[in-house]
Amino acid sequence: DPDRFEGVSRLGVDEHIWHHVSTKPVEDGGRGPKELTGMVDLSLHPNGRGELVVKARLLDLVPGRSGETYRTWLHDRGEAFRAGVEVATLDPFHGYKNAIDDQLEDARSVLDAFHVVKLATAVVDDVRRRVQQEIHGHRGRKNDPLYRIRNILRSGRENLTDRQHSRLEQAWVADERHVEVEVAWLCAQQVRDAYHQDTHAAGRTIAENILTDFPTCPIPEVKRLGKTLNQWRTEFLGYFDTGGANNGGTEAVNGLIELHRRIARGFRNLDNYRLRMLLVGGGLNL
């Protein structure tokens, strides 16, 4: 059904693992590469209440996970399709970014909010582990103050109970060297805050401050995050300039694919797998 490619104004992309067995070539009895690249239509549609919502649908699954794989697929769709794409969302993978820059030069690329927050949360874990080693000379143990709050550090402060806030304060004052963990946690919360403002303009202001402040932070892990976000500056700020475009619909379709793979107890043939998933998530009218 070639009509499924019409009217796509927002396009998402993500990798997908379709099997976990040998990667031997098909001609040698194997299933070939494990990785696929999935393209998803994330265009906005009216919902009958005067609102525009995303109705994510799978456009294609192709073998490979690389910039060349995505670039080739975009090229094969033709000029009319590429010209219609206004927003292209992605996870922080330079291969896909290069393909977007090459084939969708007029589209605004947007870095997925979930993965930005995930990067910031990982920074807090990295700082906690480093400080733990520097102070105690071993990995965290159940009675170590920093180890006891490891799960709280992964949560947004807006979700913490009074007891959890108290546990954080106790950990901060337990050793003055814990200040690095506290600062890293506050930085991660600032990243979260950018996505939780009443307006996207307010969020953009926080994001711009992050891009300015983080690269000068004396904590090496936070400084590295600042450099990473500046490398993705256009894509990072794209969220706030496109009304909150993100790759969530792509992840949802990926979850739908995983569900139906389990229901079918797996597939041995890629063509059959691709067809089944297009029927499941492609929004085709049969």
Side-chain angles (χ1 to χ4, degrees):
D1 183 5
D3 291 343
R4 74 182 191 274
F5 296 122
E6 294 184 1
V8 177
S9 60
R10 294 193 174 201
L11 181 65
V13 63
D14 196 13
E15 72 275 5
H16 171 69
I17 305 298
W18 82 282
H19 71 81
H20 298 275
V21 294
S22 171
T23 58
K24 291 192 301 183
V26 175
E27 54 270 21
D28 294 336
R31 301 185 192 181
K34 297 181 180 181
E35 295 92 353
L36 304 179
T37 293
M39 281 63 65
V40 176
D41 178 13
L42 301 175
S43 303
L44 299 175
H45 301 275
N47 64 356
R49 297 192 299 270
E51 302 171 336
L52 293 176
V53 297
V54 174
K55 296 182 179 179
R57 61 188 181 93
L58 180 66
L59 293 174
D60 217 340
L61 277 174
V62 295
R65 176 189 180 267
S66 67
E68 183 60 25
T69 297
Y70 193 27
R71 191 200 71 80
T72 299
W73 186 88
L74 289 170
H75 179 270
D76 292 345
R77 298 287 70 75
E79 184 176 350
F81 174 87
R82 296 192 298 272
V85 177
E86 300 171 356
V87 176
T89 64
L90 73 160
D91 299 345
F93 173 50
H94 280 285
Y96 291 156
K97 178 182 182 297
N98 293 338
I100 292 171
D101 292 343
D102 183 59
Q103 294 293 316
L104 301 175
E105 56 185 15
D106 295 329
R108 183 62 191 269
S109 52
V110 178
L111 194 60
D112 185 55
F114 170 81
H115 287 84
V116 174
V117 173
K118 183 178 179 181
L119 288 175
T121 303
V123 163
V124 182
D125 269 341
D126 291 342
V127 176
R128 178 185 61 81
R129 293 189 182 99
R130 175 175 59 78
V131 173
Q132 171 76 31
Q133 285 285 349
E134 290 175 353
I135 295 176
H136 301 286
H138 57 70
R139 297 177 60 182
R141 297 173 183 172
K142 66 178 182 179
N143 292 323
D144 294 333
L146 291 180
Y147 186 75
R148 295 180 65 184
I149 63 169
R150 66 193 185 283
N151 292 325
I152 300 177
L153 293 176
R154 300 188 183 108
S155 302
R157 57 185 163 194
E158 71 278 5
N159 299 320
L160 298 182
T161 64
D162 291 341
R163 181 172 180 271
Q164 289 173 320
H165 277 292
S166 177
R167 290 178 61 190
L168 282 179
E169 292 300 325
Q170 292 173 15
W172 302 151
V173 301
D175 192 307
E176 62 180 10
R177 290 168 291 183
H178 292 177
V179 67
E180 284 192 84
V181 183
E182 180 181 6
V183 171
W185 183 75
L186 291 173
C187 288
Q189 296 306 309
Q190 188 176 2
V191 174
R192 290 177 57 89
D193 289 346
Y195 295 107
H196 289 84
Q197 299 303 302
D198 293 335
T199 66
H200 292 302
R204 196 183 203 282
T205 299
I206 296 177
E208 289 174 339
N209 291 335
I210 289 172
L211 292 171
T212 300
D213 297 340
F214 280 22
T216 62
C217 182
I219 301 174
E221 293 86 351
V222 176
K223 183 176 183 179
R224 184 181 68 232
L225 175 62
K227 291 182 177 180
T228 298
L229 291 179
N230 270 282
Q231 290 175 349
W232 292 89
R233 181 185 183 90
T234 300
E235 293 74 21
F236 177 39
L237 296 178
Y239 174 90
F240 309 99
D241 298 334
T242 58
N246 62 81
N247 221 21
T250 308
E251 299 289 352
V253 169
N254 207 3
L256 185 66
I257 292 173
E258 294 282 357
L259 173 63
H260 283 268
R261 184 182 66 182
R262 290 195 294 270
I263 291 174
R265 300 294 194 270
F267 287 81
R268 297 187 61 85
N269 183 284
L270 177 58
D271 292 335
N272 292 340
Y273 185 74
R274 173 178 175 271
L275 178 59
R276 171 67 70 90
M277 299 315 166
L278 283 172
L279 294 175
V280 167
L284 301 176
N285 295 317
L286 300 179

